[in-house]
Amino acid sequence: MEKVPTRLNVAPVPPDEIFALNGAFFADTHPQKVSLGVGVYRTDDGKPWPLPVVEKAEKQLAQENDLMRHEYTAIEGDVPFLKIARDLMFGFEGGETTQQEAKARIASVQTVAGTGANHLGALFLSHHMKPPTVWLSNPSWANHMTIWELAGVPRKTYPYYHAETRSFDFDGMMSTLENDAQEGDAVLLHACAHNPTGLDPNKEQWIAIADLCERKKLFPFFDSAYQGFASGSVEEDAWAVRYFFNNKPDMEMCVAQSFSKNFGLYGQRTGAFHYVTNRSATSIRDVVVNNLCHLIRGEFSMGPRIGCTIVKKILTSEELTADWHQDLQVMSSRIKSMREALYNELVRLHTPGTWKHIVEQNGMFSYTGLTPKQVYALKDKYHVYLLKSGRASISGLSEKNVAYVSQAIDDVVRNVL
């Protein structure tokens, strides 16, 4: 049979490490296997945790039996939800006049979760701002590189992680952006709970980063994936975004906002993208929304309805909002306690090296400092799964497995170089 030539010019691309690792974990039949790879919240029994407040909202919505619940929304998304998402992110305070002036700077659209918000923002900037370069932290969430590559924007990295001290490399970041970033470049910033390191700038450092962006005319692009989930406080986790917004009103910026972690809506793909104009350019806000809708229409037409309806239901009820804040405390507190438990076990075992960074880091992930060889040994010998970079999802730890994981880490640190 004669072969018909294809017109495609394709080559294999590497599989996504996180999803490949998760697949290997599920295929593993070892009774003591532990998943520290995928970034999802788990209970101390290692099971998913639909937030109790989300279950309450779902029951109320089912009782209401809204006939419109499966209908199309607008291209920009569910407009009441977008106002709620905006207010949650930017935390407006002060008099009504001040609030209206501030809100007039923000163009918001609904997206397919945080990934979709990052993608839409990158695509929008590549079309309409044409940044010469986007600066990503080294390391960063691996998908950031893919998103900006597909948007066609040249990518460079700024130092973020100091391996020897296992700390945030603030001086390296500032020096690189000061010396090498050019006017019009975009800078990707993690709003809180930096993925994968779990290391965030302190408030004084955030202020210095904002000053540098303003002075060098750089464009801040915030990725906010963990608001309320990291510290348990939505205000604390939005501090950097709100500082830039309130204190640099002549600087434009944007925010990709996810509701996957803080509402446990991983599969509902709920997110928003906010473009912030400077205070003298509020007249273009509606044009920005119009152009974002043009991209949305050609790609997915409109955001999913179910997840945003749940968020809207919760955040328009004082009772449910209070319940949500309590659920945030439950999740953030458990992760903090697992950090402490892992650290305490490693200290008890006298595991070589320093492990203080585990409790000094923040949010779901820890950059453990383990080498790729040690990571592979953990998987092959102990069936403990984490990324080859040494990034561990602390949510996968529990009172039942933390001693086992600690013993495994102690073994590979002592015996695998």
Side-chain angles (χ1 to χ4, degrees), residues 84-304:
I84 292 166
R86 176 200 63 195
D87 291 352
L88 180 70
M89 188 75 259
F90 293 94
F92 294 107
E93 296 176 357
E96 182 64 22
T97 301
T98 302
Q99 288 190 19
Q100 291 306 318
E101 290 174 354
K103 291 175 182 179
R105 296 174 56 200
I106 305 173
S108 302
V109 293
Q110 190 178 338
T111 62
V112 183
T115 298
N118 274 275
H119 166 69
L120 180 67
L123 195 62
F124 177 76
L125 295 186
S126 74
H127 282 219
H128 301 290
M129 196 180 82
K130 302 187 185 303
T133 300
V134 59
W135 290 88
L136 308 175
S137 64
N138 182 20
S140 189
W141 180 45
N143 213 16
H144 283 147
M145 190 67 75
T146 301
I147 287 167
W148 287 92
E149 175 191 357
L150 294 175
V153 178
R155 298 156 313 283
K156 293 182 181 178
T157 62
Y158 56 85
Y160 195 87
Y161 179 70
H162 195 278
E164 291 184 6
T165 59
R166 299 179 183 179
S167 62
F168 169 46
D169 188 0
F170 174 70
D171 291 339
M173 174 185 180
M174 296 295 284
S175 175
T176 297
L177 293 178
E178 182 67 55
N179 294 325
D180 298 335
Q182 304 298 315
E183 180 177 338
D185 284 354
V187 182
L188 199 292
L189 302 167
H190 299 228
C192 67
H194 182 271
N195 180 1
T197 68
L199 296 165
D200 293 330
N202 60 37
K203 291 178 180 178
E204 291 73 21
Q205 291 168 335
W206 273 124
I207 291 169
I209 293 168
D211 290 342
L212 184 147
C213 289
E214 181 179 48
R215 178 168 45 79
K216 289 186 66 70
K217 295 181 172 59
L218 307 179
F219 183 90
F221 190 122
F222 277 99
D223 185 0
S224 178
Y226 303 99
Q227 186 186 4
F229 183 96
S231 70
S233 165
V234 296
E235 290 77 18
E236 187 66 22
D237 292 345
W239 190 91
V241 170
R242 295 178 184 182
Y243 178 84
F244 275 62
F245 177 75
N246 291 317
N247 293 276
K248 304 296 179 184
D250 295 320
M251 183 170 65
E252 300 196 346
M253 57 183 276
C254 67
V255 183
Q257 182 181 20
S258 171
F259 294 84
S260 296
K261 305 295 191 296
N262 55 7
F263 280 83
L265 298 174
Y266 302 100
Q268 283 80 0
R269 315 312 294 143
T270 306
F273 175 75
H274 309 279
Y275 187 95
V276 180
T277 72
N278 67 63
R279 59 182 167 183
S280 63
T282 56
S283 61
I284 70 165
R285 183 189 67 173
D286 292 344
V287 179
V288 171
V289 171
N290 172 259
N291 278 269
L292 287 166
C293 286
H294 179 65
L295 296 174
I296 290 169
R297 181 60 171 148
E299 187 164 319
F300 57 92
S301 278
M302 61 202 63

Side-chain angles (χ1 to χ4, degrees), residues 371-405:
T371 68
K373 286 185 178 180
Q374 291 167 341
V375 168
Y376 295 140
L378 281 174
K379 179 172 71 72
D380 295 340
K381 186 175 180 180
Y382 291 100
H383 304 266
V384 175
Y385 291 76
L386 61 158
L387 300 190
K388 65 183 179 181
S389 64
R391 189 207 80 171
S393 177
I394 297 297
S395 180
L397 293 174
S398 71
E399 295 292 343
K400 299 176 180 66
N401 67 28
V402 68
Y404 173 77
V405 171

